Structure formats: structure tokens, C-alpha cells
Amino acid sequence: MKRKIVSVILAASMCTALLAGCGSASSQAVLSEAEAPSDGTESGDFELDTLNIIVDGTLTATVENGQDAFVEQWEDAIAEKLGHEVKLNITQLDHSDYSGTVSRTLTTGAPGDPDYPDALIMSATMLRQYQTTGLLWNLKDAYENAEFQSRIQYPEVNENIMTEDGELYGFAPTYGNGCVTYIKQSWLDKAGMTVDDIKTFDDYYNFLKKVSDGKTYGVIAAGYGKMDETPYINYMPEWWQGAYPSFYQKDGAWVDGFTEQATIDALARLHQGYVDGVIDPDSEEAGTKQAREKFFSNDQSTSEAAFTYWAGTWLRTLTDNMGKNDVDNELGDDRLVELPPIQEIKDTWGGYLNREAPVWVITDDGDGDNTREQAIFDTLFETMLDGDKIQTLWTYGAEGVHWSTEAESFTTNPDDPEKKKDYEYADGEFHLKQTPNDPNTVWKKNHLDPVLVIAPLTNGFTDSDPLIEEGNKFFLANCVDAPAAASCETLTENLEDLTTVKTTLINQAVVGEITPEEAIEEYNAQFGDLSAQIIEELSAE
């Protein structure tokens, strides 16, 4: 079973993979031999010399942004904490082919190979794919016996990703977060409206029509539906409303949401929005980067009024990027307004969807001895939430590079009177510094969001940005948990084809090449039997 599923994951990834390498030829795993402890759940005398990890863009201390300092300070702190040195090798992959590159790395290598990861980040969907392959270590015992257990505030985050047998193959240090719809205040003003005027889809649509003139549009998104990223309706929730175009549990039973009337209705709304020119047609091909950059572009004559994107920190990032591009400077931090879920979302899901949290996983060398894997857990996960020095590294980055407690003053945008801002801090006052590769902005965070983390820092280091705090508070008050990702062998085997065909049919229905009903009919014709088989397998688990 293991070899078959592994080969399926590899084959699926190679169908669409770009020719991207792992990005770190120097990565090398050197694990020392040691005697196994009697209970097999402790690292015992096993000493980890080198730790290879694969990360995505959520580690914001990139090579261009002080990663070398982060690694150096992490290695020093680990040596101090564990009493021996561990070399940290980071392979940071591009977001666009993360799952494909991970798949090729895991299925063509083995623990001990120079490029093979000891630990890596996975999405909830990837975790479902890999947790039955034998490639990942069941870290349940290590997690339940971790020192940080006494400080966990959100135990349900990891409890929710346990298998039905109680096994735990991923560790989520934060809860998931989700997207909210942002509207430019200036565009609301231009339409003579306030956000309080938008309660229903009709209200929203009427606003979008008011601000669309053939060059400007009401809304842009990274795809009319994001079929390769859960929860698939995240970037256009007002249009999808109660629809969920994938396999999910409804009233306790698995269903194929793509075949439901709710999906037909959602496609009809999207088509009308396309015909009326309120949805930017660039949405069809845009990635998240292209969509957000057009939203905050300095050319607002071809931009959009609304954009649905991540809550909290991204409210600050979008606002700052508008400032960089001289968009609505007179509004400062009031450039964007968060739209509460419209009534149709409240009546179906209940709010914006909080995605399943991304996780860290540990690769299993398959030798039946847990000491290597436990040592990785102790070195990486246990210290990641130590509440102090190492958690601060993962949260804010390197001292003296990304943050400081020393007295200092600095100025961002010193040559622009309208954007110039002075910062001054007293000795002992924790604060973030200027971003290493952009001294006109202030650093925000590293990998762990201090607001989303399941166990908070205990050293008192906090950066209080009222805008980010307000953004997180808004999301928490208006979100519900997204459906759990589905996983079974047949779904894994056919996931790539299903994603491609659904995306094609959605695009065709939105632009009017086929009707929404014809899209579902075509899907049923191609995948009806397969869909029934997947539901049968999901229901049997």
C-alpha cells in the first residue's frame, strides 16, 4: 500500500510540476548513531548533529531578509539549550510548486540523503495525502509529552488533525486563519456608501456595479475558485456562499459538493458578475501575487474596489503596500474596510472559513526505532514553542536584525514628507526594526504569528500593531471552521485530474462558453463513477 500511494503522489505531482530543484544542494543530513531507549519514545542518547528542513514562504526571514542571522542565532540557542551543536539547513521552496517539489523529494530520496528533509511544512491537504504512506512519523506521544503542553491555549487545533485511530502525523504551532473581504474606503466614498450599507449579496453586487466602468472593476481574485487550495471558496466567498466544490461532510455524510445545486447557483452568480463587468477578468489567470499587486497598484484607474485575502497581518501589509504606491495616502491606516460576512454566508456556513492549520511533519526512517524522530521533535518542535528565546526567533526573527531591545531611533521614508515616519525606542523596550531588504517598512513577523500561535511567548516580547490586532479580532468574531479535507486512495490517485477539470469547467461557465448546468453535466459524465467510488471510500473510513 505504501509504495503504491507514494508512486501515485509522485505521478500526480509530475503531471504539472515545473522543472524546479530543491534549492539547496548543500543540504546534508548527518545523524549520529545511538542506543535506542527501552520505551522507544525518547531520544535517549541519540544526538542530532544536523537538521534539514523544507519550508515555504511562511518563513519570512528569507535569504534576502536576514535568514543567515536567524540560522546563526537558532544554532547558538539550540547549543545552549541542548548542550550540543545542531547545524540547521533550510531549503525554502517557491509557493507555486511546493507540493510537487516536496513530492519528488520525498518519493525519490530517503532519510540520510543530503537533500532529504528531517522535517517540513505541509498544508492540511498534503498531510491527508501523506499520513497513510508510512513516510511520516506518528508524533502523538511526543506531542502529548511535550513541555509546551502546560502552556497550550488551543489544544483543539492539533486534536482536530488526529486520525480516527488517534494517531498524529502533523504538528500545528498555530491555528489556521482565513480570508476576509477588504474594500477600499475611497471607493465606498465615491459610491456614496458605507460598509454598513452592505448586508446582502444584492447590496454587495450593487456596490460593485457602481464602481465598475469597463476599466475599473468591483473585485479581483486569484481564480474564480481556487481548486488547488483549501478551502476552495476562500477568495470569492460572497459568490460561492454555501457552495463547496469538493468532497466534504454534510450532515454527517460525505458528498461531492461540485455536483450540488449550490455550485450551479454559484457559477451562475460568477457568470453574471463577469458579464456585468464587476469581476476583473484577470481573475481567471491571476495568482495571489498578481491579484494583490493589481489591487494596491499605483494605477488605480485599472484597479478594483474589493479583494478577499488573509486576515490580521495581511491587513497591515495591504495597507502599507497601498501607501508605498501613493494610494489614498490621506486615509492612512483607514484605507481598507473589512466587510462583515454577508447574510447569505451567515445563513449557510455561518461566517468566513477558518482553514485547517498548516502543519510541520517529521519524516520516518522506517527502522522501527523512534529515537531519531524524537530527537528531531525535541530539537525543532519542542523548542519552537519554548516561550522564550527560540520561540522569539520563530516569531519575530533574529535579534539585532529583525527586532531589538536596545535604545534606538530610525525613520522610514525619510525623503518623502508625506510618508516619513519617525520611530524612537528606549533601552529595554522590545520593538521591531526596519525590514532588512526594505528600510522604508518595519518588519512584521517571522514564521509564527504571535496572535495565532497555540502557546504564547512568556518573555513579554510583543509588538502591538493596532491594525493587525483589529484584523485578527475581526476575523475571530466572524469565522467558522472550514470543512475537513477529504482523503482516500482513489481521491489521491485522481486529485490532479479532478483539480484541472474542475478549474477548466468553472472558467468555461463563468465566461459563458458553457452554462453552469452543462459544467456539472460534463463533470458527471467524466467523473460520475469516480466520484461515487470516492464517496464510498470516504464513507467506509
Side-chain angles (χ1 to χ4, degrees):
M1 176 69 77
K2 169 183 172 181
R3 185 172 298 280
K4 180 179 180 181
I5 294 179
V6 168
S7 64
V8 164
I9 293 172
L10 175 60
S13 72
M14 292 181 69
C15 290
T16 58
L18 302 175
L19 296 177
C22 291
S24 178
S26 61
S27 182
Q28 184 177 12
V30 181
L31 304 181
S32 64
E33 296 295 334
E35 296 180 356
S38 58
D39 62 6
T41 60
E42 296 180 354
S43 56
D45 295 329
F46 191 98
E47 189 169 292
L48 194 68
D49 299 314
T50 303
L51 179 64
N52 288 341
I53 63 174
I54 291 180
V55 302
D56 55 18
T58 59
L59 183 77
T60 55
T62 60
V63 171
E64 299 79 16
N65 259 324
Q67 191 174 98
D68 54 346
F70 166 77
V71 170
E72 180 182 355
Q73 293 185 23
W74 184 90
E75 291 177 346
D76 289 345
I78 287 294
E80 180 182 347
K81 195 173 192 72
L82 302 183
H84 64 86
E85 295 183 351
V86 179
K87 178 175 175 52
L88 177 62
N89 292 324
I90 298 176
T91 299
Q92 188 155 23
L93 301 180
D94 183 76
H95 176 76
S96 62
D97 189 36
Y98 185 82
S99 62
T101 306
V102 164
S103 173
R104 291 188 292 278
T105 302
L106 293 182
T107 52
T108 58
D113 291 349
D115 291 329
Y116 200 83
D118 298 305
L120 65 153
I121 295 172
M122 284 189 171
S123 67
T125 301
M126 292 175 68
L127 174 65
R128 296 292 199 284
Q129 287 181 285
Y130 284 95
Q131 66 184 5
T132 59
T133 63
L135 292 171
L136 306 184
W137 185 52
N138 175 15
L139 52 84
K140 179 189 176 186
D141 290 342
Y143 170 76
E144 292 184 340
N145 292 313
E147 183 278 335
F148 58 65
Q149 279 288 340
S150 61
R151 295 183 291 104
I152 286 183
Q153 295 181 340
Y154 307 109
E156 66 276 8
V157 173
N158 283 286
E159 292 170 0
N160 289 343
I161 58 176
M162 288 183 178
T163 67
E164 291 184 354
D165 296 330
E167 295 170 331
L168 182 64
Y169 292 93
F171 164 63
T174 65
Y175 69 81
N177 201 9
C179 293
V180 303
T181 295
Y182 299 111
I183 300 177
K184 291 169 183 166
Q185 180 62 57
S186 61
W187 292 49
L188 279 168
D189 294 339
K190 186 167 58 177
M193 298 175 64
T194 73
V195 71
D196 293 335
D197 295 325
I198 303 174
K199 304 290 188 187
T200 67
F201 181 74
D202 285 346
D203 297 337
Y204 183 60
Y205 199 86
N206 290 334
F207 163 67
L208 299 183
K209 285 191 72 173
K210 282 187 175 183
V211 297
S212 301
D213 62 8
K215 292 184 178 179
T216 60
Y217 297 93
V219 63
I220 189 170
Y224 301 122
K226 198 81 168 70
M227 293 299 100
D228 60 349
E229 181 180 323
T230 59
Y232 314 97
I233 63 174
N234 223 20
Y235 295 129
M236 296 200 84
E238 290 81 12
W239 307 81
W240 286 95
Q241 299 179 9
Y244 200 77
S246 186
F247 298 94
Y248 74 106
Q249 282 189 302
K250 181 178 182 181
D251 300 326
W254 285 99
V255 299
D256 184 348
F258 197 79
T259 65
E260 295 186 312
Q261 182 62 42
T263 294
I264 294 177
D265 295 342
L267 294 178
R269 283 188 291 273
L270 288 161
H271 171 62
Q272 194 61 51
Y274 178 87
V275 170
D276 289 346
V278 302
I279 299 176
D280 190 330
D282 285 350
S283 299
E284 181 174 341
E285 299 293 337
T288 54
K289 183 175 185 292
Q290 291 77 23
R292 64 181 184 245
E293 289 185 349
K294 190 172 184 187
F295 179 69
F296 56 64
S297 165
N298 60 4
D299 183 7
Q300 289 291 292
S301 66
T302 59
S303 189
E304 309 82 14
F307 181 52
T308 303
Y309 212 56
W310 298 99
T313 302
W314 270 102
L315 174 56
R316 165 56 68 196
T317 302
L318 292 173
T319 300
D320 286 353
N321 277 297
M322 290 176 71
K324 286 182 187 177
N325 288 305
D326 293 324
V327 179
D328 301 336
N329 284 343
E330 69 281 6
L331 294 175
D333 282 355
D334 296 324
R335 291 178 172 91
L336 296 175
V337 182
E338 296 148 302
L339 176 68
I342 60 173
Q343 193 61 47
E344 289 84 352
I345 295 176
K346 292 179 181 176
D347 291 342
T348 51
W349 294 113
Y352 291 121
L353 295 183
N354 177 42
R355 68 171 175 174
E356 290 184 284
V359 298
W360 281 87
V361 301
I362 294 173
T363 55
D364 191 338
D365 61 13
D367 66 358
D369 180 352
N370 291 321
T371 53
R372 164 190 170 271
E373 292 80 5
Q374 181 70 47
I376 295 169
F377 184 97
D378 294 342
T379 304
L380 183 61
F381 299 170
E382 183 76 272
T383 62
M384 186 180 290
L385 295 185
D386 71 349
D388 195 8
K389 183 180 292 185
I390 302 174
Q391 186 168 340
T392 300
L393 281 163
W394 287 105
T395 304
Y396 293 116
E399 183 177 7
V401 176
H402 302 108
W403 62 271
S404 177
T405 58
E406 296 181 356
E408 70 171 325
S409 60
F410 58 82
T411 301
T412 55
N413 298 293
D415 301 324
D416 187 334
E418 292 186 359
K419 297 180 183 178
K420 179 180 177 182
K421 187 172 183 179
D422 297 320
Y423 298 82
E424 185 167 358
Y425 301 96
D427 187 41
E429 183 180 6
F430 175 83
H431 61 274
L432 299 177
K433 296 172 68 69
Q434 292 159 287
T435 302
N437 71 349
D438 184 3
N440 285 324
T441 65
V442 177
W443 181 254
K444 298 179 181 65
K445 68 175 183 65
N446 192 14
H447 175 62
L448 300 180
D449 190 321
V451 179
L452 306 179
V453 73
I454 62 173
L457 284 165
T458 58
N459 57 11
F461 287 177
T462 59
D463 174 63
S464 56
D465 183 327
L467 194 63
I468 295 175
E469 290 180 359
E470 192 281 325
N472 282 315
K473 183 179 179 181
F474 176 88
F475 180 71
L476 289 175
N478 291 284
C479 76
V480 297
D481 287 341
S487 178
C488 67
E489 184 175 350
T490 299
L491 177 58
T492 300
E493 291 175 355
N494 295 277
L495 186 60
E496 195 69 35
D497 288 342
L498 287 166
T499 299
T500 301
V501 170
K502 285 180 184 178
T503 300
T504 300
L505 292 173
I506 288 171
N507 290 342
Q508 289 178 328
V510 172
V511 303
E513 294 177 1
I514 58 176
T515 67
E517 290 80 4
E518 288 171 342
I520 305 310
E521 288 172 5
E522 178 62 26
Y523 172 80
N524 281 327
Q526 290 191 46
F527 293 109
D529 292 342
L530 183 71
S531 172
Q533 183 181 343
I534 290 171
I535 292 174
E536 182 177 349
E537 287 183 25
L538 291 170
S539 302
E541 290 183 351

